[in-house]
Amino acid sequence: MYRYDDYDRALVIERVAQYRDQLQRNLAGELSEDEFRPLRLQNGLYIQRHAPMLRIAVPYGMLSSVQLRKLADIARRYDRGYGHFTTRQNMQLNWPKLEDTADILAELATVEMHAIQTSGNCIRNITTDPFAGVAPDEIVDPRPYCEVLRQWSTFHPEFAFLPRKFKIAVSGTLEDRAVTYAHDVGLQLYRDDKGEVLVRVIVGGGMGRTPILGSVIHDALPWPHLPTYLDAVLRVYNRYGRRDNAYKARIKILVKAIGAEEFARQVNEEWQLERDGIATVTEAELDLARAAFSDPDAPARPARDASFDAHLAEDRAFARWVSRCVRAHKRPGYRSVTLSLKPHGVAPGDITSEQMEAVADLADRYSFGELRVTHEQNLVLADVALADLYDLWQGARAHGLATPNIGLLTDMICCPGGDFCSLANAKSIPIAQAIQAEFDDLDYLYDIGDLELNISGCMNSCGHHHVGHIGILGVDKAGSEWYQVSIGGAQGNTTSLGDVIGPSFAADEVPGVIKKLIETYVEARTPEERFLDTVRRLGVAPFKARVYGETAKKAEVAHG
């Protein structure tokens, strides 16, 4: 993985010193809260409902075991002994003391970590496929390109105060696992007939109050031009984005207002001023980034392992875990493993200091000291020998990290919601836990099959509810917490936005609503259909009728 050079190191240390001075002046009353707010946001510090929240950057989701141990130590000493992984592959601490935040940033700097640009109206953490570099369907390893873009975007002088936050996702595989169509900018790397790397540039996607899927504005951008072309995209947005209305300030609103074709024309016109200029990436610069992501020095392994086969045949619990948590690998004799952070009774994405240390140990022992964070709020050990899977499973299970539910209903995405976030309209975590309690039978979950359920506590859609097969959105009705339900959303190559099934529900109704949706699917599905397939085939009507009763069904008929 990428390691800091002297420039990176000096930059981060200087930022910590700068922030420490700002914090001390604020605590001494020399810097007002209004003056301090944009400064702390540039360092990932929010003031939430009950306490400060510090969001720590995990660039494109990659962590070393050393870094994870540091996060465990910080969570134990400065917080309440746990952290929360987010859909941008970052970590959040929900209970740090304001006066400790500079010390936390200094601790992070010792292991090449920071909280820069994890908040504020700037370019946020760039995300990518958590299986980058090992996925069998990979065309181009996106990580070197992510690193080039991280260097380009960090402290970019023009884009520190954009109209709103700006999110970029990068994919280099046949199957899009980075949700590129639902980001401000999505980049899809591929190769042409000559083997040259090109980039499909998708702009204007996003969830939130106005969910929109992005539009392709350049279908074959040569990779060296990524920084200069993105400069042009951001300059057009920076110039014309709505600064008078926070709800209409994202780039998706601008692209929708003027049209993707006109936006592309303006970007191309702007690009001509810088194209082939000093920010054009050279092969040598990309090679420098590539060198950080070379394959580990892993011994060759046979494609089959007799002990693995024996355990698979003899241990049903292990076989179930393998079926859900283990993925194919590009090298024979290796697999990638997802460690579920979604056991029943735990807020999705939460992990204790003890569990972090356990994962760090497992990464050292079985995966060359590296791990990845997924945007689904789980962890990945990318390079595990087939022969080590049984021992890894036992170690993970001992620490509550081997729930075999990846891709199932209880592997839900969930934002912190009203328990923590001051922006939330409703709580998310209790809804997730109530659904977990309703669906606590693994056999039934396996019978239901692949199903993505996403929960957001407000329209900001931090829980990606718009692209969940089932999406749940917390809304405020006269000061009470209610929940709107949608179905039919999806990520991947067929990214789609869900349709709201009808009026919202009280909190205690939600598990029953989900149960009715599942029952409708189970009764109507064909043998090969997932929940999403059945929704796409039948539409919303039968699900709505089951949830709301015959009146909803008659209303659908009356309205055609």
Side-chain angles (χ1 to χ4, degrees):
M1 61 186 292
Y2 180 76
R3 299 300 306 271
Y4 281 10
D5 59 19
D6 290 341
Y7 183 81
D8 295 314
R9 199 167 292 108
L11 202 65
V12 171
I13 290 172
E14 287 174 10
R15 170 49 75 96
V16 172
Q18 181 188 61
Y19 173 74
R20 188 182 297 279
D21 176 66
Q22 293 163 348
L23 174 63
Q24 289 172 346
R25 285 189 286 141
N26 172 254
L27 294 174
E30 299 168 6
L31 203 60
S32 72
E33 289 302 317
D34 286 343
E35 291 170 322
F36 184 54
R37 183 176 182 273
L39 302 175
R40 63 172 168 78
L41 286 174
Q42 290 175 14
N43 292 279
L45 183 66
Y46 290 77
I47 303 300
Q48 296 283 67
R49 192 177 296 271
H50 305 295
M53 181 272 281
L54 183 66
R55 183 178 294 142
I56 299 165
V58 183
Y60 34 89
M62 291 202 70
L63 278 171
S64 71
S65 59
V66 172
Q67 290 171 330
L68 188 58
R69 285 193 186 91
K70 175 58 73 174
L71 292 175
D73 179 56
I74 289 172
R76 181 180 289 115
R77 291 196 290 128
Y78 294 101
D79 205 278
R80 296 189 176 180
Y82 74 97
H84 173 77
F85 284 112
T86 76
T87 52
R88 289 220 69 70
Q89 301 175 305
N90 292 322
M91 171 170 274
Q92 291 180 179
L93 299 177
N94 288 314
W95 299 98
K97 295 177 181 177
L98 178 62
E99 57 267 28
D100 289 338
T101 51
D103 290 338
I104 294 173
L105 295 181
E107 295 261 10
L108 290 170
T110 66
V111 292
E112 303 184 352
M113 297 188 75
H114 59 75
I116 296 165
Q117 293 180 210
T118 59
S119 62
N121 295 335
C122 57
I123 301 170
R124 299 287 187 89
N125 188 42
I126 294 164
T127 58
T128 193
D129 179 11
F131 302 98
V134 300
D137 70 333
E138 188 166 87
I139 303 165
V140 182
D141 185 346
R143 294 172 300 172
Y145 300 87
C146 289
E147 176 53 31
V148 167
L149 293 178
R150 184 195 69 81
Q151 295 182 21
W152 158 79
S153 63
T154 301
F155 295 139
H156 197 303
E158 281 189 68
F159 309 136
F161 297 98
L162 294 167
R164 278 290 271 130
K165 57 188 175 182
F166 199 90
K167 299 178 178 180
I168 299 173
V170 187
S171 175
T173 49
L174 293 175
E175 177 67 26
D176 177 11
R177 287 183 287 273
V179 207
T180 53
Y181 274 90
H183 278 74
D184 298 291
V185 166
L187 303 173
Q188 296 180 349
L189 306 169
Y190 67 97
R191 295 184 185 275
D192 65 10
D193 294 341
K194 298 178 182 177
E196 296 296 322
V197 175
L198 300 175
V199 187
R200 183 172 297 111
V201 181
I202 304 156
V203 171
M207 290 177 260
R209 187 174 298 271
T210 309
I212 299 174
L213 297 183
S215 301
V216 176
I217 66 165
H218 201 310
D219 200 42
L221 179 73
W223 65 264
H225 296 299
L226 265 172
T228 57
Y229 192 79
L230 291 179
D231 272 344
V233 169
L234 278 148
R235 282 175 186 152
V236 173
Y237 169 52
N238 210 14
R239 189 179 305 138
Y240 299 114
R242 292 282 299 272
R243 295 178 186 272
D244 61 323
N245 187 329
Y247 300 123
K248 297 182 179 181
R250 298 292 290 269
I251 193 173
K252 62 188 177 183
I253 303 299
L254 174 61
V255 174
K256 183 179 181 181
I258 68 174
E261 186 175 342
E262 172 60 16
F263 185 83
R265 186 196 67 78
Q266 291 192 28
V267 169
N268 189 62
E269 185 178 275
E270 180 70 36
W271 184 38
Q272 301 313 310
L273 304 175
E274 190 183 355
R275 183 175 181 171
D276 300 319
I278 193 170
T280 306
V281 185
T282 66
E283 189 75 43
E285 288 167 335
L286 185 63
D287 284 343
L288 198 61
R290 280 198 193 107
F293 303 102
S294 58
D295 291 338
D297 188 15
R301 300 272 186 169
R304 297 288 299 273
D305 180 81
S307 64
F308 169 77
D309 291 340
H311 288 306
L312 203 62
E314 297 164 3
D315 194 323
R316 182 170 179 265
F318 174 64
R320 175 171 271 178
W321 177 77
V322 169
S323 72
R324 278 288 153 186
C325 300
V326 178
R327 295 177 62 97
H329 198 285
K330 71 177 184 180
R331 289 193 298 278
Y334 287 87
R335 298 291 187 272
S336 295
V337 172
T338 302
L339 302 176
S340 173
L341 300 184
K342 318 289 178 58
H344 285 199
V346 175
D350 278 8
I351 183 170
T352 67
S353 292
E354 291 75 15
Q355 287 177 316
M356 287 186 241
E357 289 164 343
V359 173
D361 290 343
L362 293 173
D364 282 339
R365 194 174 306 154
Y366 301 115
S367 194
F368 305 94
E370 290 184 2
L371 60 141
R372 289 97 179 277
V373 184
T374 77
H375 77 265
E376 288 98 348
Q377 299 173 290
N378 294 308
L379 298 177
V380 167
L381 300 180
D383 296 281
V384 181
L386 192 61
D388 289 336
L389 282 175
Y390 192 75
D391 290 341
L392 168 60
W393 170 66
Q394 289 182 312
R397 187 167 62 161
H399 294 280
L401 296 162
T403 305
N405 64 344
I406 300 303
L408 299 177
L409 186 151
T410 56
D411 179 26
M412 59 190 79
I413 293 175
C414 180
C415 74
D419 283 308
F420 298 99
C421 181
S422 56
L423 299 177
N425 295 317
K427 294 182 176 66
S428 300
I429 295 170
I431 299 301
Q433 293 174 333
I435 294 170
Q436 289 171 341
E438 180 71 35
F439 294 90
D440 62 352
D441 184 340
L442 264 177
D443 288 329
Y444 186 45
L445 288 175
Y446 274 69
D447 179 59
I448 296 168
D450 292 341
L451 200 158
E452 297 171 5
L453 188 149
N454 301 348
I455 307 173
S456 296
C458 75
M459 285 301 298
N460 284 319
S461 192
C462 294
H464 292 188
H465 67 277
H466 290 296
V467 294
H469 298 168
I470 298 175
I472 300 175
L473 167 66
V475 295
D476 183 343
K477 291 175 64 174
S480 298
E481 296 182 1
W482 289 71
Y483 296 87
Q484 189 181 81
V485 176
S486 58
I487 60 175
Q491 54 181 327
N493 291 359
T494 58
T495 298
S496 59
L497 302 171
D499 295 315
V500 176
I501 64 171
S504 55
F505 305 93
D508 60 357
E509 297 177 300
V510 174
V513 170
I514 303 306
K515 186 176 181 180
K516 289 178 181 178
L517 293 174
I518 299 303
E519 288 171 348
T520 306
Y521 157 63
V522 169
E523 292 169 8
R525 67 184 174 184
T526 61
E528 73 283 356
E529 280 186 333
R530 304 165 299 161
F531 177 87
L532 177 64
D533 301 322
T534 303
V535 171
R536 286 177 170 174
R537 175 169 60 86
L538 297 179
V540 171
F543 295 89
K544 183 175 182 177
R546 183 65 163 264
V547 170
Y548 294 100
E550 286 301 311
T551 54
K553 187 174 182 180
K554 291 175 182 176
E556 286 289 336
V557 173
H559 289 87

